[in-house]
Amino acid sequence: MGRGSGAPGSAGLLLVDGVSLLRPEEQVFGAMCDGWRAQQLARNLSFSTIDKRLATVRAFTGHADAYPWAWRPQLLDEWLADLRSVRGLRRSTIRNDSTSIAAFCDYLTDPAYEWAAECERRFGMHPVQVVHEWNTAVHAQDAEGDPSRRAFTLDELQALFDYADDQVVWVRNAGRKGWLAAFRDAALFKVAYGYGLRRREVAMLDLIDFGANPHAREFGDFGVCRVRFGKARKGSPPKPRSVLTVWGWTTEILQQWIAEVRPLMPEAGSPALWPSERGSRITLGTINKRLTDYRKALGFGPGLDFHSLRRSYVTHLIEAGWDPLFVQQQVGHEHASTTSIYTCVSSDFRTRTLRRALDATMTAATRPERTTR
């Protein structure tokens, strides 16, 4: 019969009194992982987040060659050093891994879950917190992404879209299969840029996610894009938002795709805006592969990835003089500081801005009406 308070993930719900375990260390560790999973599910964390955290815990356990009740800070030091020096992982990845271990240790050492008492009774040792400020990386600045990641310049963006269009023509003229998929992906890249969408956001669009904007009727039925699968906060469902159409060419792309080309797809009956040739919706892997192939063919560096389309959207709107608050709301950022991180304003734009300011100063200084007393 179970012991304890009955909180999700507690030892009393996973281990039974009076029952001998054939492999006590392995089975108790497995029960700990199952309990932590239950506790995180109760907090409404996503399945993908939970699975990644558990994989991190198991990886550390394997490297340390010790179970949680025998973990010590020195073992964490060795593991994090190995991740950076041998495996070459990024700072943000290493910090996320240490955060997962810290959360697991917090769970194990919380008296409400009774794991410390259970381990003391079975093994004569108990788990402790091994993650501290003095042995983990500090999150010192807001933007710690790969510095090679950047926005497309206008010329690079045009080259990408032209190349994508050329591939459709080449594949079709060669009589090969796949021109429909090539057309779909070319349109998808343009729509992702045209609305500043993340990869999953654009992949999850349905036909019904577009509507008219009564304040911009020139865009017809494509004045608003309703993003239903926006980036979620931890423990929350996807965050929806509405993105207003700002460029007329995006409506032309959508009209041609939906009215002329999409009906030819094998899965045209799917509600998805971008059906696959073999399924109801395009996969994120397919999107990545296509863009990577095009990027390499054009000789662009790895710093230009799919998210660069979103960076470009923010950058080009700011450069064109759009209000920063409007841009922030379009891309769904809660804080203006986040939008500023995405803003990769080009040196060209800064040069033009400086030149206008200097010219205005000189004009004011040499104005004929300026007289001395």
Side-chain angles (χ1 to χ4, degrees):
M1 187 172 177
R3 310 171 309 283
S5 62
S10 63
L13 294 178
L14 297 159
L15 297 173
V16 181
D17 278 334
V19 176
S20 299
L21 302 178
L22 296 177
R23 301 180 306 279
E25 293 186 335
E26 294 179 19
Q27 290 173 275
V28 170
F29 176 61
M32 286 176 167
C33 292
D34 291 341
W36 194 38
R37 180 181 182 83
Q39 185 243 22
Q40 292 179 97
L41 288 172
R43 293 169 54 203
N44 202 30
L45 297 185
S46 68
F47 290 102
S48 60
T49 297
I50 296 171
D51 291 342
K52 289 177 182 177
R53 287 180 165 189
L54 286 170
T56 299
V57 167
R58 293 188 177 101
F60 175 48
T61 303
H63 185 276
D65 194 23
Y67 289 105
W69 49 90
W71 287 355
R72 294 296 178 265
Q74 295 85 346
L75 297 175
L76 181 75
D77 296 348
E78 295 172 3
W79 182 58
L80 296 181
D82 180 75
L83 293 181
R84 185 170 185 186
S85 61
V86 178
R87 298 183 56 190
L89 299 186
R90 302 186 188 281
R91 290 182 177 87
S92 57
T93 303
I94 295 173
R95 188 172 52 255
N96 287 338
D97 287 347
S98 62
T99 300
S100 297
I101 300 301
F104 185 60
C105 290
D106 283 341
Y107 159 72
L108 294 180
T109 55
D110 190 328
Y113 299 105
E114 304 173 330
W115 286 110
E118 186 69 31
C119 292
E120 188 72 40
R121 185 174 67 84
R122 288 180 180 271
F123 309 115
M125 295 183 290
H126 59 83
V128 297
Q129 179 59 265
V130 299
V131 182
H132 306 279
E133 291 185 2
W134 46 265
N135 69 342
T136 52
V138 177
H139 193 175
Q141 59 185 33
D142 293 331
E144 293 190 333
D146 186 344
S148 68
R149 306 297 186 194
R150 63 175 179 85
F152 288 91
T153 66
L154 287 172
D155 289 341
E156 289 171 336
L157 198 63
Q158 189 63 56
L160 173 66
F161 292 162
D162 289 344
Y163 185 83
D165 291 340
D166 291 343
Q167 292 307 296
V168 179
V169 176
W170 182 82
V171 173
R172 189 171 188 181
N173 290 343
R176 298 175 57 184
K177 295 181 180 179
W179 76 269
L180 288 172
F183 193 107
R184 174 203 60 205
D185 296 348
L188 183 150
F189 294 154
K190 296 170 187 175
V191 169
Y193 166 70
Y195 290 98
L197 303 181
R198 300 179 179 89
R199 183 183 55 173
R200 185 167 185 265
E201 291 174 348
V202 69
M204 295 302 294
L205 286 176
D206 284 349
L207 292 170
I208 61 171
D209 289 332
F210 291 90
N213 181 354
H215 303 288
R217 297 190 181 279
E218 59 266 40
F219 297 130
D221 294 332
F222 301 98
V224 180
C225 174
R226 300 181 183 89
V227 178
R228 293 178 292 114
F229 288 84
K231 186 177 181 180
R233 294 182 181 180
K234 290 183 179 180
S236 301
K239 181 181 178 182
R241 73 177 187 278
S242 293
V243 185
L244 305 182
T245 303
V246 296
W247 295 309
W249 57 263
T250 55
T251 65
E252 298 174 7
I253 297 295
L254 286 165
Q255 287 171 345
Q256 184 181 22
W257 164 247
I258 294 173
E260 301 177 22
V261 183
R262 187 183 178 283
L264 304 177
M265 295 288 291
E267 297 290 335
S270 164
L273 179 63
W274 316 107
S276 168
E277 292 179 299
R278 297 181 180 85
S280 60
R281 191 180 300 276
I282 192 172
T283 64
L284 302 185
T286 299
I287 296 174
N288 278 349
K289 185 179 185 307
R290 181 77 76 174
L291 185 62
T292 300
D293 290 344
Y294 288 0
R295 186 197 72 211
K296 290 180 178 178
L298 291 166
F300 296 159
L304 293 174
D305 56 6
F306 189 88
H307 207 74
S308 292
L309 296 172
R310 180 173 165 87
R311 298 185 189 100
S312 303
Y313 175 82
V314 174
T315 299
H316 298 159
L317 284 181
I318 295 295
E319 288 187 352
W322 289 80
D323 185 271
L325 178 59
F326 172 81
V327 178
Q328 176 187 340
Q329 294 174 343
Q330 286 282 94
V331 294
H333 288 157
E334 184 175 358
H335 303 291
S337 57
T338 307
T339 308
S340 68
I341 293 172
Y342 279 67
T343 307
C344 311
V345 179
S346 66
S347 57
D348 240 8
F349 173 77
R350 290 189 295 175
T351 300
R352 292 196 304 269
T353 302
L354 175 64
R355 188 68 264 164
R356 283 198 301 269
L358 294 175
D359 290 346
T361 302
M362 289 298 297
T363 300
T366 58
R367 197 176 299 154
E369 59 267 25
R370 285 178 61 89
T371 58
T372 58
R373 181 174 297 177

